Amino acid sequence: MLRLIDINKTYPGAVPLHVLKDINLHVETGELVSIMGASGSGKSTLLNILGILDTYDTGEYYLDGTLVKNLSENEAADLRNRKIGFVFQSFNLINYKDALENVALPLFYQGVSRKKRNILAMEQLEKMGLADRAHHLPGELSGGQKQRVAIARSLITRPALILADEPTGALDSRTSKEVMEVFRTLNTVDGMTIVIVTHDPGVGEQTNRVIRIVDGQIQ
Ligand code: ADP
Ligand code: MG
């Protein structure tokens, strides 16, 4: 599903920062993996490259067989929207839209009719055990519920891959376990390929493979 070959990235500046160093990484379809490392080790940079949210300097990145390199912004957005669902630490929900509207939003951008969007969004909310929260605003939901809404939103376009950046970073340990349980079920029952970036060993333990990154290098 994912193959990185000798990926390097440097942030330019008065003192350039060589943040990813010869990264080689291979994630198979159906894997549940974590990328673990300390703060500042380059995890988010790596995930942003995997998610085609950022570019790399040298090397090759293949996503589901497609070389992700020198893409125009439109090509990158198209590939991203078709292949990838994102989950973030801070949920990134729209505060004035209810749970159902938040989950349905990616389909709005795909031009799906309101009726169909709402049916599909409700299905995803039901799957997350949140049907009764559909018409609540994010501010009326707990942290764990917000993250489950965000996971429902990430799934609505039927992506091949879920990328999550510190998805439990804003949650207490009990709620973290619940959210990790959701990812585990998506992986074991639906066969979703999931890559989770985290600095939390407790999260890493709940994945099937831990990839360690130290100072921009895979260990
Ligand atoms: P992590 O997610 O593991 O905490 P990041 O990938 O966010 O690490 O950051 C790795 C290093 O790159 C850090 O030293 C950070 O300060 C630096 N960095 C991140 N983004 C940028 C940027 N846009 N410009 C310059 N430096 C950056
Ligand atoms: Mg980070």
Side-chain angles (χ1 to χ4, degrees):
M1 175 67 65
L2 296 177
R3 187 189 293 272
L4 297 186
I5 304 163
D6 292 333
I7 292 284
N8 281 275
K9 182 174 182 72
T10 297
Y11 287 118
V15 182
L17 185 66
H18 190 180
V19 62
L20 296 179
K21 300 165 188 160
D22 292 326
I23 300 278
N24 286 284
L25 182 64
H26 190 182
V27 176
E28 299 279 0
T29 300
E31 274 201 279
L32 169 61
V33 305
S34 52
I35 299 174
M36 278 194 55
S39 177
S41 57
K43 302 183 301 294
S44 292
T45 304
L46 179 56
L47 202 80
N48 289 342
I49 290 171
L50 294 177
I52 328 180
L53 295 165
D54 200 356
T55 56
Y56 52 95
D57 300 326
T58 62
E60 284 172 355
Y61 167 31
Y62 291 90
L63 167 60
D64 211 5
T66 303
L67 176 61
V68 179
K69 198 168 195 170
N70 305 325
L71 300 181
S72 70
E73 274 192 29
N74 281 339
E75 288 168 336
D78 182 57
L79 195 57
R80 189 163 61 229
N81 295 340
R82 276 192 294 118
K83 299 275 188 192
I84 306 171
F86 291 95
V87 178
F88 299 99
Q89 174 171 354
S90 51
F91 322 121
N92 292 10
L93 299 175
I94 295 177
N95 287 325
Y96 56 85
K97 290 189 181 290
D98 69 22
L100 188 78
E101 292 170 313
N102 268 284
V103 174
L105 198 60
L107 297 179
F108 171 80
Y109 292 113
Q110 291 186 355
V112 176
S113 75
R114 174 190 287 268
K115 190 170 172 212
K116 190 160 179 210
R117 303 201 287 272
N118 286 350
I119 290 169
L120 294 172
M122 190 52 104
E123 277 176 18
Q124 291 300 335
L125 281 176
E126 277 166 6
K127 206 167 153 180
M128 292 295 136
L130 289 173
D132 61 334
R133 302 282 110 173
H135 297 297
H136 288 259
L137 296 172
E140 298 165 341
L141 302 175
S142 69
Q145 289 171 337
K146 279 187 251 199
Q147 197 57 301
R148 280 185 284 146
V149 171
I151 294 170
R153 179 186 56 190
S154 78
L155 293 168
I156 192 101
T157 52
R158 304 198 165 278
L161 167 73
I162 299 283
L163 297 177
D165 194 346
E166 305 274 9
T168 64
L171 305 175
D172 62 43
S173 60
R174 193 179 57 84
T175 312
S176 290
K177 282 215 181 78
E178 270 172 38
V179 165
M180 285 308 297
E181 209 42 60
V182 171
F183 283 124
R184 291 185 59 79
T185 303
L186 287 173
N187 174 251
T188 54
V189 177
D190 301 324
M192 279 298 307
T193 309
I194 304 173
V195 178
I196 299 173
V197 153
T198 183
H199 67 273
D200 180 352
V203 169
E205 272 169 21
Q206 292 171 77
T207 63
N208 298 333
R209 179 158 69 104
V210 179
I211 296 159
R212 287 175 205 282
I213 181 167
V214 177
D215 285 338
Q217 281 181 302
I218 302 279
Q219 296 298 289

